[in-house]
Amino acid sequence: MTQVGEGHETAADEAGPVLTFGAPTVGEILAERYQLEQHVNNDSAGRQVWRGIDVVLRRPVAVVLRHPGGDSAAEMLQAAVAASRVLHPNLVGVYDAIDEEQRAYVVREWVDGESLRDLIAAEGPLDPARAIAIAHSVADALTAVHATGMVHGNVHPGTTLIGDDNRVVLADARADAADSVEADVRAVGGILYFALTGHWPHTEVGRSALPDATRDSAGNPAAPRQIRAGVPAYLDDLTMDLLDRRVAAPAAEALTAELGRLDAAAEEEEFEDVGPLRFVQGGGTSSEPARSAPKIMLGVGALVIIAIIGLVFGIRAISNSSKPNASPTSTVDANTGGQPGTDDPSDAPQGDPVKIPLTEDMVRIVDPPQGDRDDTGESKYVVDGDQDTAWKLSYFKQPNFGGRKAGMGVLIHLPEPRALSDVRVYTSAPGAAIDLRVGDKDPGDTSKGDDTIVKSYARLSDGDGAVNTGDKQILDGFDPDKKYQYVLVFLTKLPRNEDTPGYQVNVNEIELYGF
């Protein structure tokens, strides 16, 4: 039985080493009130989870213990205090938060049941009606949280608990500055996707890692209807719209209303006849069925493209008729301009991206000043096609390379500029912050040259804002109308190594995709 979720863990990792408190004993009473009855498990953030008894009110409680307390436990305690202010039947009640300096603990409601993660592991994907009911409860809980101005920040199959009485409750809020209302709402799409397919469409972390979604060459998850039969089209559309960042996310209350409509239809056994979605991307619901935004935009986009093509050909026809000796239009030189990405609209990418073969002579390690450059030559291991070989970084006492330098990376130098799609980085462990940068030249394999690269290359994606939580990272941001020749995959923060004290990661493989 899981009583604490194992989703978003960066807050705990950032606070420093999280060690389980050394062997609390059965029968021990905390704060002269909470008696420990049974050690349930250790959650993925390194905290002990106990079933206990409130000896004053004689009710079961869950006790989450962390060592040490003090400043390093402040974020956990603050999240608990914030969660205690929101009372809702689909939120786990938080009763107490205590800091004893050498240890800290949160006391909350005990739920007899199991997490959605464990339920799916035991029973497999759920039928659509039950998946909707669970997502409806989670969205309703988020509506209450957001109404107070707070964010949950940890909506996950491990924090979604299913009681023995079928009550669905959301536990273990861990919001930090990187979380948002939108992320909460999109995570409901993840809950739907997981309930319907048994796979998690978002990046995952550590020991709590869930089976990853089946993905296409661009890293996009396959729709539930592509994975299993029997998923209604409108539920499939709703799930994928929530996961698609190109589609505006609704307010939690609008999503709750739509899921409530579908939930009610399932209870009345009219599930198959419920019809198209009434969900409106502006954040509310309409009285008439509405087509999903992606289909509307595709239709409008197609009409606009047809109109533009007709206009262009019309103008060319008029121009050519008035200038019978006009010379053919010349193409733009892809190597002109000296910019990180060179404009070449006449040769825009077409079709699906393909893997670009990378060889040893096309990559090198970038180690800016204050680095010892001992890793020179190890770049060959990230392009040899063998996941068992790797560029093994050194150990550091702090995640930001000991505070000695901005980071380290791999420079990819293509023989000639070309249109690119994304870079895929495979690491030995989750938690590394990686960003993608581009430039127009390699100033040289020296400390000075590496310093110039780090300072001058333009960032296409930023790994400093939040630690990436999967051991496979897909980095994009390339302009489809530009070509690139020099690409830097740059690590700015290292994860804690579980086997040896310190921060360290191996880069097993780097793949570049383009057109």
Side-chain angles (χ1 to χ4, degrees):
M1 180 183 299
T2 300
Q3 280 292 317
V4 173
E6 300 184 352
H8 172 62
E9 298 171 29
T10 56
D13 291 340
E14 287 293 326
V18 180
L19 306 174
T20 20
F21 180 74
T25 57
V26 172
E28 181 178 354
I29 298 179
L30 307 180
E32 300 181 349
R33 179 168 183 172
Y34 306 109
Q35 180 172 315
L36 300 180
E37 296 286 306
Q38 179 189 9
H39 178 217
V40 179
N41 61 8
N42 292 345
D43 80 358
S44 58
R47 306 172 301 183
Q48 282 194 3
V49 185
W50 285 74
R51 179 176 61 82
I53 295 291
D54 182 338
V55 298
V56 175
L57 298 179
R58 306 306 303 172
R59 65 180 175 184
V61 294
V63 181
V64 184
L65 283 153
R66 185 193 194 282
H67 170 76
D71 292 342
S72 63
E75 194 159 3
M76 178 187 82
L77 296 173
Q78 289 169 1
V81 170
S84 69
R85 297 171 183 159
V86 187
L87 302 178
H88 190 276
N90 297 120
L91 286 171
V92 167
V94 177
Y95 303 145
D96 216 340
I98 299 172
D99 183 7
E100 295 180 349
E101 292 300 327
Q102 67 172 356
R103 65 182 176 185
Y105 45 92
V106 172
V107 182
R108 64 167 177 79
E109 176 185 4
W110 175 266
V111 179
D112 284 316
E114 60 186 336
S115 69
L116 177 62
R117 181 191 61 229
D118 294 341
L119 176 65
I120 297 295
E123 300 183 8
L126 307 181
D127 63 81
R130 193 173 187 193
I132 289 171
I134 291 172
H136 180 208
S137 296
V138 172
D140 201 15
L142 291 176
T143 297
V145 172
H146 295 173
T148 67
M150 295 189 297
V151 174
H152 187 276
N154 195 26
V155 180
H156 180 271
T159 63
T160 303
L161 307 182
I162 317 297
D164 291 341
D165 59 356
N166 288 324
R167 174 185 168 219
V168 178
V169 288
L170 189 58
D172 205 23
R174 298 187 206 170
D176 58 32
D179 295 310
S180 65
V181 167
E182 178 183 347
D184 275 355
V185 171
R186 293 201 186 281
V188 179
I191 293 294
L192 269 174
Y193 192 97
F194 181 76
L196 292 169
T197 68
H199 293 266
W200 186 238
H202 302 298
T203 31
E204 253 301 89
V205 294
R207 293 186 296 271
S208 69
L210 300 172
D212 190 27
T214 301
R215 301 180 184 274
D216 61 21
S217 59
N220 300 311
R225 281 167 62 88
Q226 295 176 301
I227 299 174
R228 60 176 291 197
V231 178
Y234 53 82
L235 182 57
D236 189 82
D237 284 345
L238 175 60
T239 303
M240 297 308 291
D241 280 358
L242 289 171
L243 298 176
D244 190 345
R245 294 189 178 278
R246 297 170 298 179
V247 179
E253 58 183 331
L255 178 58
T256 300
E258 176 59 22
L259 289 169
R261 184 178 74 90
L262 299 181
D263 198 4
E267 290 179 0
E268 296 170 5
E269 299 183 353
E270 298 176 356
F271 184 66
E272 298 300 328
D273 301 321
V274 74
L277 297 175
R278 294 178 184 174
F279 175 70
V280 177
Q281 297 300 333
T285 56
S286 66
S287 58
E288 295 297 328
R291 290 185 298 168
S292 65
K295 295 180 176 64
I296 295 174
M297 295 307 296
L298 284 172
V300 173
L303 292 174
V304 171
I305 291 172
I306 292 171
I308 292 174
I309 292 174
L311 179 61
V312 169
F313 276 97
I315 292 174
R316 285 187 176 179
I318 296 172
S319 176
N320 289 339
S321 63
S322 60
K323 297 180 181 180
N325 297 320
S327 61
T329 304
S330 60
T331 59
V332 180
D333 183 358
N335 294 303
T336 308
Q339 297 300 317
T342 8
D343 291 314
D344 191 1
S346 65
D347 191 20
Q350 296 181 0
D352 294 330
V354 297
K355 182 178 176 181
I356 298 173
L358 298 178
T359 57
E360 179 180 342
D361 61 332
M362 296 165 62
V363 293
R364 74 172 183 84
I365 301 296
V366 169
D367 190 0
Q370 286 76 53
D372 50 25
R373 301 183 63 78
D374 286 346
D375 294 352
T376 298
E378 290 204 22
S379 57
K380 63 184 178 183
Y381 298 121
V382 306
V383 295
D384 61 2
D386 185 355
Q387 290 279 355
D388 293 330
T389 62
W391 167 32
K392 299 179 180 180
L393 281 78
S394 300
Y395 286 86
F396 293 86
K397 293 182 179 180
Q398 297 174 349
N400 59 341
F401 290 83
R404 296 168 51 198
K405 52 190 173 184
M408 297 180 70
V410 174
L411 177 65
I412 302 172
H413 173 198
L414 296 175
E416 60 184 18
R418 65 181 295 172
L420 301 178
S421 168
D422 59 81
V423 176
R424 303 173 193 186
V425 185
Y426 298 81
T427 55
S428 60
I434 310 174
D435 62 44
L436 185 62
R437 310 183 185 193
V438 293
D440 61 343
K441 63 181 179 180
D442 179 0
D445 189 3
T446 63
S447 290
K448 183 177 180 181
D450 290 353
D451 187 43
T452 300
I453 286 175
V454 173
K455 291 179 178 178
S456 65
Y457 272 35
R459 294 188 187 187
L460 299 185
S461 64
D462 194 345
D464 290 338
V467 175
N468 292 316
T469 53
D471 52 9
K472 173 188 175 183
Q473 305 299 330
I474 299 178
L475 310 175
D476 54 22
F478 293 108
D479 187 332
D481 294 327
K482 292 184 177 181
K483 292 186 175 182
Y484 304 85
Q485 188 169 7
Y486 296 89
V487 177
L488 175 65
V489 178
F490 198 61
L491 286 78
T492 59
K493 191 171 295 184
L494 301 173
R496 175 173 292 280
N497 188 285
E498 294 183 356
D499 299 324
T500 306
Y503 295 84
Q504 189 270 344
V505 75
N506 298 338
V507 180
N508 299 85
E509 203 71 20
I510 294 178
E511 298 176 349
L512 180 62
Y513 285 75
F515 302 93

